[in-house]
Amino acid sequence: MWSTYIAEEPEWYGDSFSVQKILIWAQNNSFDMIEIERLELLATLMIWFTSTSNRYVRDTATKIL
């Protein structure tokens, strides 16, 4: 259900889509000052993102990992 929702989201490139915002934030920030627990949560989320057939989400999450 999760993977299908991300793959089929019609407003993927809209301003309100939170998955896109998370990916952009993770790509553009340094992880040096982030606590290890938060990095583990981010890594878990990125692993979930790799399960989708949406190529942009999957490939970006893989690069972030």
Side-chain angles (χ1 to χ4, degrees):
M1 193 168 170
W2 165 260
S3 301
T4 304
Y5 171 77
I6 293 174
E8 296 177 355
E9 176 59 36
E11 297 179 17
W12 171 246
Y13 294 102
D15 292 334
S16 63
F17 194 66
S18 58
V19 171
Q20 184 180 22
K21 289 180 181 181
I22 291 169
L23 292 172
I24 291 169
W25 175 84
Q27 281 182 306
N28 296 326
N29 287 290
S30 172
F31 300 131
D32 297 336
M33 303 298 291
I34 300 176
E35 298 128 1
I36 191 71
E37 293 84 11
R38 291 178 192 245
L39 289 174
E40 289 173 355
L41 291 171
L42 178 64
T44 301
L45 186 58
M46 293 302 109
I47 290 169
W48 289 347
F49 285 173
T50 62
S51 70
T52 186
S53 63
N54 183 313
R55 187 174 184 175
Y56 173 77
V57 175
R58 188 182 63 240
D59 292 351
T60 304
T62 300
K63 291 175 187 175
I64 292 168
L65 284 169

